[in-house]
Amino acid sequence: ISSRLSALWGAFSQPQIYKPCVFIFLLNATPSTGASWFFFYTDTLKFSSTFLGTIGLVGSVCTLIGVYVFDAALKKVSFRPIFLWSTLISTVLGLTQLMLVFRTNVALGIPDWIFCLGES
């Protein structure tokens, strides 16, 4: 068993392995806004439970499309540019939640329900 633990440690101590693991750990260790968004969607925006399910469905379909795009076009691209650009794009798109909270989408003429579907 000690040889297996040694081999596991040898694999994990490589920068290509531990750096993404640390990033994913830190990303998942940050506080989540799930419950807050639920109350914002239901109390402030008055979304029904059916529409909340629709938002989840649209998010899942977009995830499947992302998997297809990755498989079709990005699987031969090196990890570093994909990691960089996906982090940058994800950060910018994550900031759109502030637009929803401050009601900027309404000022721009975008209804809440369309904005939330696009945001997911």
Side-chain angles (χ1 to χ4, degrees), residues 65-98:
I65 291 170
V67 169
Y68 175 76
V69 167
F70 178 83
D71 186 55
L74 299 174
K75 68 180 173 184
K76 298 205 188 243
V77 177
S78 70
F79 175 73
R80 189 172 292 238
I82 292 174
F83 186 69
L84 172 72
W85 285 107
S86 63
T87 302
L88 291 175
I89 292 169
S90 173
T91 301
V92 170
L93 292 177
L95 293 175
T96 60
Q97 293 177 340
L98 292 175

